[in-house]
Amino acid sequence: MLFLLQRLFKLNERHMFARPIYLLILLLLIFTNSNANPPAKKIKTTPPNIIIFLVDDMGLMDTSLPFAVDGNGNAIVHPLNQFYRTPNMEMLATQGTKFTNFYAHSVCSPTRTSLMTGQNSARHKVTNWIKSEENNKTPFGPKEWNWKGLDKENVTLPRVLQANGYKTIHVGKAHFGPYGSEGEDPINLGFDVNIAGSSIGQPGSYYGMEGFGHIAGNKARAVPGLEKYHNKDIFLTEALTLEANAAISKAKEEKKPFFLYMSHYALHAPFNPDPRFIDNYKDAGMNERTQAYASLVEGMDKSLGDLIEHVKKLGLGENTIILFMGDNGSDAPIKLIDNYGSSTPFKGKKGKHWDGGMRVPFITSWVTPNQKNKGQRKIPIGSNATQNQIGTVIDVFSTVCEISSTEMPEQYITDGFSLTTQFNGKENKKRTNEFINHFPHKHRSSYFTSFIDNDWKIIYHYQIKKAPKYELYNITNDPFETTNLAADNPLKLNEMMVKLEIELTQMEALYPEKGEEMLRLIIPQQ
């Protein structure tokens, strides 16, 4: 074809009279060629349905599925794994991929805001849990911290998915803003449907007979919008599951892809025993409150199984991906001894600066795995796979955007990485293996910043009343943070502190304040 075109356009002057004929031939050749090689048709695939299954206060050890591994990456079963019963988590991991080094912020509102925005708490400034009634700054907390949470102007995961044609469904705990704020109602943040979500961070009661707090229990934390279950013998976890399944069915009827943010109030206090499962723990050697907590865990696991079964019955399993995770370390009522307890063998728990406060379960899988499915070939997930490279809640935003082929707004800043490469058990060499947990407030651990960088972790304790304190751990060799190396390795401590200062400065982080003084990092000399 190219040769003929060249010949036709190299006519000399004495053939000018014949050019109309050559032009006609040229047009015929172009037409014939275009029909012989029509443009390839794009194969249209149905956007995948996406479920984020978020469990409140679920730490790494609150499950029969082992997440702790040895130096070779092999799973180790610890005593707490033998206490809990989570068969559906085990099933999900068998057919998908579990992450053994997945991090969240150490309390709930920072994690939930990071999940919604793809930003670290140091950037979005929701650095403490949001108290519904008032500013929870605490004595030396930064005055400008974002205690009002998310609003209508924020870029959020449901909002960008909504713009991409998704039916966005919120079920359960929200905790995105205080009373009277825009973030109090998830509808303002991009959800089409809100079931039982409000400002509250815990339920007034788990019992339908108590109206989930409206009839009895803590009325200040009564769960809204579930009136049809009041005075009925039903547990909150079950009611939320029924509502989630109904919302999925409706989305299918509307022929829309759905994004379900299934955010259970369990496992948060009050530790009301789930009567369906409490007898399983009577002889387990734990106190009654811990037995009740275990029944909450098993009830949550049943919800996971029921949700998966419902999606399969609707014929949506091959086109539905699920991301299972906790929002911070465990808060199981197990007594701490030398700062080991509910997260043992990991140190600390919810609200603490060690890994027991920050490491959480993460599992991903297609609801019905099928390697021949085109959508699943696009986002492949390993079978019975283990991912030991770091992942964080901050990565979820970018991950879901990639899964759904959703574009983020131009110039929008995210701090995370897509996890899709890691879903198949592979290492993502383009990401940084870092995580910052910035907490400039008073709580179980007060006024600190934890920073993980590959094999190393530092914890900086701000100079509230005396000189700053430093902790340095090699978490590859010492995952349970038993030996503080700060005094023995000043070069590594200095290197980590310099890097942390650069990161916090780049995110315009806020620091604890003493009077009018902002207590910035003090980097020790080498």
Side-chain angles (χ1 to χ4, degrees):
M1 180 67 179
L2 179 61
F3 172 76
L4 288 173
L5 290 173
Q6 290 172 337
R7 290 293 302 271
L8 288 169
F9 282 106
K10 287 183 178 179
L11 297 174
N12 56 39
E13 289 296 322
R14 65 176 182 270
H15 291 112
M16 284 297 291
F17 69 94
R19 285 192 174 185
I21 296 173
Y22 284 104
L23 183 59
L24 178 60
I25 295 171
L26 175 62
L27 292 173
L28 287 171
L29 285 169
I30 293 171
F31 178 80
T32 302
N33 187 71
S34 65
N35 280 277
N37 299 286
K41 292 183 179 179
K42 290 184 178 180
I43 299 173
K44 188 175 182 181
T45 58
T46 305
N49 306 305
I50 301 166
I51 298 173
I52 290 179
F53 195 99
L54 182 66
V55 187
D56 199 16
D57 291 351
M58 186 175 196
L60 200 68
M61 304 305 296
D62 296 339
T63 169
S64 58
L65 177 68
F67 284 86
V69 295
D70 62 20
N72 296 317
N74 299 312
I76 303 175
V77 177
H78 288 279
L80 284 174
N81 299 132
Q82 297 173 319
F83 171 58
Y84 295 108
R85 301 182 185 210
T86 55
N88 291 297
M89 286 181 66
E90 293 180 40
M91 175 273 296
L92 194 67
T94 298
Q95 68 181 39
T97 298
K98 71 173 181 180
F99 281 58
T100 62
N101 284 291
F102 199 86
Y103 284 89
H105 294 302
S106 54
V107 292
C108 52
S109 295
T111 285
R112 290 161 187 270
T113 307
S114 291
L115 196 155
M116 287 288 113
T117 62
Q119 296 179 340
N120 189 283
S121 67
R123 188 183 301 279
H124 60 62
K125 308 299 187 289
V126 180
T127 44
N128 197 6
W129 60 274
I130 292 172
K131 190 172 182 179
S132 296
E133 294 85 0
E134 61 191 6
N135 186 340
N136 192 29
K137 177 179 78 69
T138 71
F140 298 99
K143 300 180 183 66
E144 300 302 319
W145 85 283
N146 185 12
W147 72 277
K148 292 193 174 180
L150 294 170
D151 60 37
K152 291 180 179 179
E153 301 302 317
N154 286 121
V155 173
T156 65
L157 186 55
R159 202 186 309 282
V160 296
L161 290 171
Q162 189 181 57
N164 197 27
Y166 273 77
K167 179 74 173 286
T168 53
I169 305 163
H170 180 283
V171 179
K173 173 176 171 173
H175 208 193
F176 297 128
Y179 291 145
S181 69
E182 292 177 351
E184 179 182 7
D185 186 353
I187 297 295
N188 292 327
L189 307 179
F191 285 102
D192 296 309
V193 177
N194 172 35
I195 298 166
S198 68
S199 174
I200 62 174
Q202 67 182 81
S205 167
Y206 280 96
Y207 298 127
M209 294 299 293
E210 296 183 349
F212 309 121
H214 288 277
I215 299 168
N218 182 359
K219 294 186 178 182
R221 293 294 180 265
V223 179
L226 298 174
E227 288 78 10
K228 68 182 180 181
Y229 298 104
H230 290 187
N231 290 306
K232 293 187 177 180
D233 185 16
I234 190 170
F235 207 72
L236 177 58
T237 307
E238 175 73 3
L240 294 176
T241 306
L242 293 173
E243 291 299 303
N245 284 340
I248 290 172
S249 295
K250 189 171 182 181
K252 184 186 178 183
E253 291 172 6
E254 296 171 357
K255 298 181 179 179
K256 296 187 71 174
F258 68 83
F259 167 63
L260 171 62
Y261 180 71
M262 182 74 205
S263 175
H264 273 296
Y265 281 97
L267 313 166
H268 201 292
F271 303 130
N272 298 142
D274 189 329
R276 299 171 296 171
F277 306 107
I278 189 62
D279 287 345
N280 293 336
Y281 305 94
K282 293 294 185 183
D283 300 318
M286 295 286 191
N287 63 49
E288 289 187 359
R289 293 184 77 229
T290 307
Q291 292 174 31
Y293 185 86
S295 74
L296 289 173
V297 171
E298 190 167 355
M300 170 282 302
D301 186 77
K302 181 181 186 299
S303 171
L304 174 65
D306 290 348
L307 198 66
I308 289 171
E309 187 62 27
H310 184 72
V311 171
K312 288 180 177 179
K313 285 182 178 179
L314 293 178
L316 301 175
E318 289 191 14
N319 197 43
T320 302
I321 192 170
I322 186 165
L323 310 178
F324 177 102
M325 69 196 81
D327 71 339
N328 49 243
S330 173
D331 200 28
I334 297 174
K335 184 179 179 181
L336 288 175
I337 300 175
D338 294 329
N339 284 304
Y340 294 90
S342 60
S343 297
T344 302
F346 295 94
K347 198 171 187 177
K349 62 182 298 183
K350 173 185 177 180
K352 292 285 189 176
H353 53 271
W354 295 293
D355 268 17
M358 300 158 53
R359 290 269 288 276
V360 298
F362 183 90
I363 312 167
T364 184
S365 176
W366 291 97
V367 170
T368 304
N370 180 0
Q371 293 181 354
K372 296 181 180 179
N373 182 282
K374 293 178 180 178
Q376 293 190 27
R377 290 206 305 267
K378 183 180 177 183
I379 307 290
I381 298 176
S383 175
N384 198 24
T386 298
Q387 176 56 261
N388 295 319
Q389 187 182 17
I390 195 172
T392 80
V393 293
I394 301 166
D395 300 327
V396 173
F397 185 99
S398 298
T399 304
V400 171
C401 285
E402 181 175 348
I403 291 169
S404 60
S405 300
T406 297
E407 292 186 7
M408 286 181 274
E410 288 186 16
Q411 299 182 337
Y412 181 66
I413 297 174
T414 58
D415 296 310
F417 300 83
S418 175
L419 295 167
T420 55
T421 298
Q422 296 170 256
F423 281 0
N424 210 21
K426 298 178 181 178
E427 180 184 0
N428 181 359
K429 295 181 179 180
K430 295 181 179 179
R431 72 167 300 151
T432 60
N433 296 315
E434 299 175 359
F435 180 67
I436 292 174
N437 182 36
H438 184 59
F439 193 81
H441 305 275
K442 183 179 180 180
H443 195 34
R444 289 170 175 170
S445 289
S446 301
Y447 310 108
F448 71 89
T449 301
S450 298
F451 175 43
I452 292 164
D453 182 15
N454 289 286
D455 297 335
W456 292 90
K457 175 180 178 181
I458 57 169
I459 304 163
Y460 181 82
H461 299 266
Y462 289 89
Q463 55 276 20
I464 300 298
K465 295 182 179 179
K466 52 186 178 181
K469 178 184 174 184
Y470 308 89
E471 294 180 59
L472 174 68
Y473 302 99
N474 185 312
I475 53 175
T476 298
N477 298 331
D478 180 21
F480 310 138
E481 297 168 276
T482 61
T483 306
N484 181 3
L485 301 173
D488 296 332
N489 198 336
L491 288 177
K492 175 55 71 171
L493 178 62
N494 178 270
E495 175 191 325
M496 293 282 286
M497 285 297 300
V498 169
K499 193 167 186 178
L500 174 60
E501 183 179 52
I502 292 170
E503 293 292 324
L504 291 178
T505 300
Q506 184 267 331
M507 289 188 282
E508 299 180 344
L510 301 175
Y511 298 89
E513 297 173 5
K514 197 170 184 179
E516 298 301 316
E517 180 188 4
M518 187 173 287
L519 303 179
R520 297 181 179 274
L521 301 180
I522 297 176
I523 300 176
Q525 298 298 314
Q526 298 182 26

